[in-house]
Amino acid sequence: MKKQLIVSIGREYGSGGHKIAKLIAERLDLPLYNRNILEEVAGIKNVDTNSLAKYDESPRKLFFSRTVRGYSNSPEENVAELQFNLLRSKFADEDSFVIVGRCADELFYGHKYLVTVFITGDEDDKIRRIMESRGFSEKQARKTMERHDKTRRAYHDYFCRHGKWGETGTYDLCLNSSRLSIEACADIICAYIQKRLEA
């Protein structure tokens, strides 16, 4: 019987989490869902992807939103739920996949073959990666990193009940990409996955 595998990758901004997730997906021959999940949602809802992207992985703005009879007027919450529902439908179809962020650790909590990973990195390394990839100054890179991590933490912790963003007890594995290469991190995660599937 084929085992349904869900690999959930949480990451700090600039840690290389997306690159690690991409390597894992390639090595395991699985689809990778990240921001591209928005394209599927936009296609289903017949809306422009850019109109959804600005609300992606953002927490609900409590001051400006409210819920009446189970319906929220928060675009952040509605975009999150659209993504969650699409991921749940893929799970219900017994698909296996790698997912970056998007509260997958909560959505599939309790599934036997859910593997949860968090990627961190030393501050200097993360800032250097951001500077190189986005052409930012050190000051711009630091501000961007801090803003993204604050947003990701708030988003995750708003929707997730079974653990806090970045806290070691929440995940199966926590790796510092500054201690190892991106490739070595992927090696360790794939080895762990193999052992889990054999259990």
Side-chain angles (χ1 to χ4, degrees):
M1 178 177 165
K2 184 182 175 185
K3 296 173 180 175
Q4 184 184 20
L5 173 67
I6 311 296
V7 183
S8 169
I9 307 288
R11 75 286 185 219
E12 292 177 344
Y13 193 75
S15 66
H18 180 265
K19 290 181 179 178
I20 292 168
K22 187 176 179 184
L23 283 174
I24 293 165
E26 289 170 356
R27 293 178 188 183
L28 299 178
D29 195 25
L30 294 176
L32 171 65
Y33 298 117
N34 188 6
R35 198 161 179 167
N36 60 353
I37 198 85
L38 279 178
E39 295 174 12
E40 282 195 53
V41 169
I44 292 167
K45 295 296 180 181
N46 197 27
V47 297
D48 178 51
T49 305
N50 292 329
S51 67
L52 302 179
K54 59 187 171 183
Y55 305 114
D56 185 35
E57 282 200 298
S58 295
R60 172 180 174 177
K61 294 179 174 60
L62 296 175
F63 185 74
F64 296 103
S65 61
R66 62 187 185 134
T67 302
V68 178
R69 295 180 183 171
Y71 294 96
S72 173
N73 71 341
S74 163
E76 295 86 1
E77 189 163 16
N78 290 328
V79 167
E81 287 299 336
L82 287 169
Q83 293 182 79
F84 297 163
N85 288 337
L86 182 55
L87 290 168
R88 288 185 188 109
S89 73
K90 292 179 184 297
F91 180 77
D93 290 340
E94 299 187 354
D95 293 351
S96 293
F97 50 84
V98 179
I99 176 75
V100 179
R102 283 141 194 90
C103 300
D105 51 332
E106 178 72 22
L107 290 177
F108 308 115
Y109 182 82
H111 177 59
K112 184 175 181 180
Y113 297 111
L114 167 67
V115 174
T116 58
V117 180
F118 191 81
I119 307 296
T120 185
D122 293 350
E123 189 171 280
D124 289 347
D125 287 330
K126 292 186 293 181
I127 289 170
R128 177 184 51 77
R129 284 192 187 111
I130 297 165
M131 290 170 65
E132 290 173 357
S133 66
R134 302 194 60 179
F136 284 175
S137 68
E138 182 178 344
K139 184 178 179 181
Q140 287 174 310
R142 186 181 301 277
K143 276 186 77 172
T144 302
M145 178 186 71
E146 290 172 351
R147 185 181 76 248
H148 276 278
D149 283 348
K150 182 179 179 182
T151 299
R152 285 175 180 174
R153 181 185 302 278
Y155 165 83
H156 179 277
D157 291 352
Y158 177 78
F159 288 106
C160 298
R161 295 178 294 115
H162 293 100
K164 298 295 185 181
W165 184 84
E167 289 188 1
T168 56
T170 301
Y171 306 92
D172 297 317
L173 288 175
C174 294
L175 294 175
N176 185 325
S177 60
S178 297
R179 301 290 180 267
L180 297 167
S181 67
I182 297 294
E183 292 77 13
C185 287
D187 290 342
I188 289 170
I189 296 165
C190 286
Y192 176 83
I193 290 169
Q194 189 60 42
K195 289 295 183 184
R196 278 284 296 276
L197 292 175
E198 291 170 1

